[in-house]
Structure formats: structure tokens, C-alpha cells
């Protein structure tokens, strides 16, 4: 496996590829994203173990959405079974993915706890508001995001061990920091631009209530579009020295 260092302008390419791929299969990719959200919502409602189980499933679910994007980018229809790609890759890789899930859950709990201690407030802000607790929580989670940005894909498609995948993910993000910064700023611009246009249209057509009604489903679609771009950040950051093992039928590397 080889780490590729890309120029900062590649961040714009990742955004455009994510948007183009999503628009190629909008119903399928949006449907898979909503299916993932629904599963997480149901799992987290399970008493006692729900939150933990939901956290453990995050790396596997992220990999499933990346596999769906890979399928769509190849011109094929992404089937719902791609969401469980991590569970069809063999016992060793499934075990590694579950280890990542445990690490992610523990890390998230620690990051949230630190944010709560630093702000002296509860971890859950009022819905729809961005308060100091949420901002600090996001900041505390940043190292976790870097560790897991590429880790699930490295485990699944390259057979990297959990510890090495976390390390390589951080190194790749650092070496391609310029591209990731451009990528993040570009997506912020897309979200703000779409939000501003829809707010103006909604306000002109029917007032604030209509604007909010339009913004909620649009925000979810934009989130689904964003997830479609994550695959390309991985694809261009790593390359195999030799052909990796063939993925299960119906799945693209």
C-alpha cells in the first residue's frame, strides 16, 4: 500500500466527484443514507446497550456508504446489501472492523466527557442551536475523525490491522491536509450557498415556516451528498502496490 500526496486543489475535485456521483444515482444513494440513519436511530433506542451498539456500528456503516459510492462511480446501481459490506468480507476483517467500532465508541465517550468538563454544561444542546458545548465537543472529536477518516476503508479493502489503519489514516490526513482543508471549505461553501438560496426562496414564497420545512429535507440530502464524496478522498490518498483481494460480488474497491 502506498500513500499518495495530492495537491490542495484536489479537494475541489473530491467535492465535484461526490456531487456528480450522487446526482448519477440520487435515489439509491439518498435511500441508502436514510436507511443508515434509520438503523442508527433504531439501534440507539435499545435500552442500556443502544448507544454503545450504535457507536460500534459507525465504522462498518461508513464503509458501507463508501462501497455504495464506489459502485455508483463505476456506473452500477448500488444495492442495499452494500451497507453490510463489512459483514461479508470474512471473519478476520469483520473482527478488525468491530475492533475499530469499539475504539471509536470509547474515543467518542472520552471526547464528549472532556467537552462536558471543559464547558460545565450538558452534552446535548437545545435542538437547532449551536452552543459552546457543541462546538467544544466537535473540537474534541477532531482527532477521532482524523483517525477514522480512512481507517474503515484501509481495513476492508487493504486488509490493514486496526492499529495500523488508525495510524495510516492520521498520517494520510496530515500529509494531504491542504487538500482536506480545501475540501472542507468547499463543502461549507456548498452548504451555505444552498441554504441561503433555499431560505430566500422559502421566505419569499411562504415565510419562515415554509423555509424551515424546506431546509430540513434539503439538509439531509446535502448530508447524503457529502458522504458520497468521502470515498474519493480515500481512493486518491492510497494505492495498492499490488492488486488487493477481490471484494465480494456486487462490491467495488
Amino acid at each position: 500500500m502506498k500513500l499518495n500526496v495530492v495537491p490542495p486543489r484536489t479537494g475541489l475535485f473530491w467535492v465535484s466527484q461526490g456531487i456528480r456521483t450522487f446526482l448519477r444515482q440520487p435515489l439509491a444513494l439518498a435511500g441508502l443514507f436514510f436507511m443508515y440513519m434509520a438503523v442508527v436511530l433504531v439501534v440507539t433506542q435499545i435500552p442500556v446497550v443502544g448507544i454503545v451498539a450504535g457507536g460500534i456500528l459507525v465504522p462498518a456503516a461508513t464503509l458501507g456508504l463508501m462501497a455504495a459510492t464506489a459502485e455508483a462511480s463505476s456506473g452500477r446501481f448500488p444495492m442495499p446489501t452494500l451497507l453490510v459490506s463489512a459483514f461479508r468480507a470474512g471473519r478476520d476483517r469483520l473482527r478488525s472492523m468491530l475492533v475499530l467500532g469499539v475504539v471509536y465508541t470509547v474515543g467518542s465517550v472520552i471526547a464528549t466527557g472532556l467537552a462536558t468538563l471543559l464547558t460545565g454544561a450538558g452534552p446535548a444542546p437545545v435542538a437547532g442551536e449551536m452552543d459552546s458545548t457543541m462546538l467544544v465537543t466537535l473540537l474534541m472529536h477532531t482527532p477521532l475523525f482524523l483517525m477514522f477518516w480512512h481507517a474503515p476503508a484501509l481495513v476492508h479493502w487493504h486488509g490493514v490491522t486496526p492499529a495500523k489503519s488508525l495510524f495510516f489514516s492520521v498520517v494520510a490526513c496530515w500529509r494531504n491536509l491542504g487538500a482536506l482543508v480545501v475540501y472542507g471549505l468547499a463543502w461549507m461553501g456548498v452548504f451555505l450557498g444552498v441554504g441561503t438560496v433555499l431560505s430566500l426562496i422559502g421566505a419569499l414564497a411562504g415565510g419562515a415556516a415554509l423555509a424551515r420545512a424546506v431546509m430540513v429535507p434539503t439538509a439531509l440530502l446535502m448530508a447524503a451528498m457529502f458522504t458520497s464524496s468521502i470515498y474519493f478522498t480515500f481512493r486518491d490518498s492510497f494505492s495498492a502496490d499490488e492488486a488487493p483481494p477481490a471484494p465480494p460480488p456486487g462490491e467495488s474497491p
Side-chain angles (χ1 to χ4, degrees):
M1 185 188 64
K2 178 184 177 182
L3 170 63
N4 302 321
V5 179
V6 300
R9 65 177 180 275
T10 306
L12 293 176
F13 175 73
W14 291 338
V15 174
S16 66
Q17 283 293 98
I19 294 174
R20 288 175 59 188
T21 302
F22 181 84
L23 294 178
R24 187 179 299 172
Q25 295 282 0
L27 294 179
L29 292 176
L32 290 174
F33 177 77
F34 294 145
M35 189 181 301
Y36 157 67
M37 294 294 293
V39 170
V40 170
L41 181 62
V42 171
V43 169
T44 54
Q45 298 306 308
I46 300 175
V48 184
V49 299
I51 298 296
V52 174
I56 292 175
L57 290 176
V58 166
T62 301
L63 184 279
L65 294 174
M66 291 177 70
T69 301
E71 193 81 349
S73 69
S74 299
R76 295 185 290 271
F77 185 85
M79 300 298 292
T81 52
L82 288 171
L83 278 181
V84 294
S85 295
F87 300 95
R88 302 165 57 215
R91 183 177 300 176
D92 290 340
R93 296 193 183 185
L94 172 58
R95 185 184 300 113
S96 294
M97 194 68 70
L98 292 178
V99 169
L100 286 183
V102 172
V103 174
Y104 177 85
T105 302
V106 173
S108 182
V109 170
I110 293 174
T112 302
L114 288 174
T116 303
L117 290 174
L118 289 173
T119 59
V126 177
E129 294 184 2
M130 177 70 76
D131 66 359
S132 60
T133 302
M134 181 179 290
L135 291 174
V136 175
T137 300
L138 181 62
L139 180 63
M140 293 294 102
H141 275 78
T142 299
L144 198 65
F145 295 153
L146 296 178
M147 293 168 61
F148 282 87
W149 192 260
H150 299 302
L154 287 170
V155 164
H156 182 74
W157 280 313
H158 291 281
V160 180
T161 63
K164 288 184 177 180
S165 72
L166 296 171
F167 174 76
F168 291 153
S169 179
V170 173
V171 172
C173 289
W174 179 254
R175 295 292 300 276
N176 289 313
L177 184 61
L180 286 175
V181 169
V182 172
Y183 170 80
L185 291 176
W187 269 118
M188 287 179 59
V190 171
F191 273 84
L192 289 174
V194 172
T196 299
V197 171
L198 289 179
S199 295
L200 289 174
I201 293 176
L204 291 173
L210 179 60
R212 286 193 295 269
V214 172
M215 283 297 297
V216 172
T218 302
L220 291 174
L221 286 175
M222 294 297 295
M225 190 178 293
F226 169 78
T227 61
S228 297
S229 67
I230 296 176
Y231 165 74
F232 299 103
T233 70
F234 167 76
R235 185 198 65 181
D236 294 341
S237 295
F238 295 93
S239 58
D241 294 328
E242 57 184 13
E251 181 183 335
S252 298

